[in-house]
Amino acid sequence: MQFTKITKAVIPAAGLGSRFLPVTKSIPKEMIPILDTPTIDLIVQEAIQSGIKEILIIVSSTKYAVRNFYKRNHRLEKFLIKKNKTSLCKKIENIGHGVKIHFKLQIAPKGLGHAIYLAKSFTKNEPFAVLLGDDITLNDDKQTTPVIGQLMDAYNKYHQSILGVKNVPHKDVNQYGIIKIKSTANIKDKLYEVESVIEKPKITEAPSDLAITGRYILTPQIFHYLKKQKIGVGDEIQLTDAIMELLADQRVYALNYDGVRYDIGSKKGLVRATIDFALKDPNLKEDVSEYIFKLTKTIK
């Protein structure tokens, strides 16, 4: 297999966002903001900061707001300049700067595996990154490499598919793709060799608490298995099923990456992310900290 540097990423963002109805009736869940930034752009920024040069966003026919966000708005820019709001204008101009963004339509919600298969022509037989639209990450105080960048570093060393994983509470394993590792010993730096992957197992049947959490590096061979993949859990084409078949031909690794992951497909995850990002913002940290301190005194 020829080893190629990863420069492309795929962001599946065609989901209906039913957990956030009624707002997602008219606003794509990917446009729900963390402070002043849509969640989709936090994911795009993670890819850019990791060295990705091209991104394919998989959208549904109703996600025109996502497309519009990455288009220049010259009228708005002129208005901001006229009002002498040059710093804000610069912020608007820099949206998506440093990367070429493409869009592809997923006509029917057939699952993550189907969405990834739509990226076959975009990847051009190269390894590629996948960042799920429901997950955003935040580096901890000591970690400077974004999560997808950590997976890319692991790929550069081992040249195999890399799954981003985190330990989750055992009671929640039935909500994730769960990995079984070949050995309890790390290969190196929180890296494991994967033996199998199970999509949303029963709690009593989960082989571990290591859950795939929305970040992948995949080799192009995955498309061979996605093409012939049958309907799986949830009546959808599951990426985990294709990864399981890929394991018969290639090694697959899992990296328990550094950093915090938020499931912003849930209200609880969105609230947590908003608080944590606010506490990282120098313009908000003091006021938000003071408000939280006051709340802790009144909540019983």
Side-chain angles (χ1 to χ4, degrees):
M1 180 173 58
Q2 184 177 0
F3 302 133
T4 307
K5 183 178 179 180
I6 295 169
T7 60
K8 296 179 179 179
V10 178
I11 302 177
L16 297 176
S18 57
R19 286 186 287 178
F20 278 98
L21 285 169
V23 69
T24 45
K25 180 176 180 289
S26 59
I27 299 173
K29 64 178 180 178
E30 294 81 10
M31 294 303 296
I32 296 174
I34 303 296
L35 304 181
D36 60 355
T37 304
T39 53
I40 185 72
D41 199 50
L42 292 171
I43 297 168
V44 168
Q45 289 177 31
E46 179 186 339
I48 293 172
Q49 292 164 9
S50 301
I52 294 296
K53 300 301 181 184
E54 286 191 79
I55 295 174
L56 177 67
I57 303 178
I58 308 293
V59 294
S60 67
S61 59
T62 61
K63 301 292 181 82
Y64 54 85
V66 177
R67 290 174 177 261
N68 288 342
F69 185 75
Y70 290 101
K71 291 180 180 178
R72 290 285 297 272
N73 188 330
H74 296 287
R75 184 177 181 181
L76 176 59
E77 292 168 17
K78 288 179 180 179
F79 173 81
L80 293 172
I81 292 172
K82 184 178 180 179
K83 294 294 183 179
N84 202 30
K85 297 182 179 181
T86 53
S87 61
L88 188 54
C89 182
K90 188 69 174 177
K91 189 174 183 179
I92 296 296
E93 289 176 344
N94 283 337
I95 292 173
H97 180 72
V99 69
K100 188 173 183 180
I101 297 178
H102 313 267
F103 292 90
K104 189 153 191 175
L105 184 66
Q106 185 181 28
I107 297 174
K110 296 182 180 180
L112 177 58
H114 177 259
I116 298 300
Y117 186 73
L118 294 176
K120 186 176 187 297
S121 60
F122 166 74
T123 62
K124 295 182 179 178
N125 206 37
E126 298 175 9
F128 60 100
V130 175
L131 302 90
L132 297 194
D134 276 347
D135 295 88
I136 60 173
T137 61
L138 182 65
N139 288 357
D140 56 33
D141 293 334
K142 297 180 181 179
Q143 180 62 44
T144 57
T145 304
V147 169
I148 199 62
Q150 295 174 45
L151 270 66
M152 290 165 66
D153 289 343
Y155 171 83
N156 290 339
K157 184 169 184 180
Y158 293 96
H159 309 294
Q160 304 288 352
S161 294
I162 311 288
L163 313 179
V165 299
K166 276 291 189 185
N167 290 95
V168 297
H170 190 71
K171 64 181 179 63
D172 295 335
V173 292
N174 60 348
Q175 302 173 30
Y176 297 91
I178 301 295
I179 69 163
K180 180 179 181 181
I181 56 179
K182 283 196 173 181
S183 170
T184 55
N186 294 14
I187 296 173
K188 187 180 180 182
D189 298 332
K190 300 182 180 180
L191 192 72
Y192 306 90
E193 185 172 350
V194 177
E195 180 176 316
S196 62
V197 183
I198 303 173
E199 180 66 22
K200 297 181 179 179
K202 293 180 180 179
I203 293 176
T204 55
E205 297 176 0
S208 75
D209 292 338
L210 285 169
I212 305 171
T213 55
R215 296 295 182 270
Y216 309 75
I217 301 297
L218 297 173
T219 57
Q221 285 72 23
I222 193 69
F223 292 111
H224 171 73
Y225 300 104
L226 286 173
K227 183 178 181 179
K228 62 178 184 177
Q229 202 58 233
K230 296 180 180 179
I231 299 296
V233 174
D235 292 326
E236 296 180 337
I237 297 174
Q238 296 292 343
L239 177 61
T240 48
D241 292 342
I243 292 172
M244 190 62 196
E245 293 187 21
L246 178 67
L247 277 163
D249 291 337
Q250 295 181 1
R251 290 180 178 178
V252 174
Y253 295 104
L255 178 67
N256 195 342
Y257 55 81
D258 294 320
V260 183
R261 169 255 180 183
Y262 303 92
D263 175 11
I264 47 82
S266 72
K267 295 173 185 177
K268 180 170 65 176
L270 183 69
V271 171
R272 287 178 175 176
T274 301
I275 293 171
D276 285 357
F277 273 73
L279 292 173
K280 289 269 187 181
D281 188 319
N283 296 319
L284 294 173
K285 181 178 179 180
E286 185 176 342
D287 287 342
V288 174
S289 297
E290 182 180 344
Y291 181 65
I292 292 173
F293 179 73
K294 288 180 180 179
L295 283 179
T296 57
K297 287 192 167 186
T298 60
I299 297 175
K300 294 181 182 181

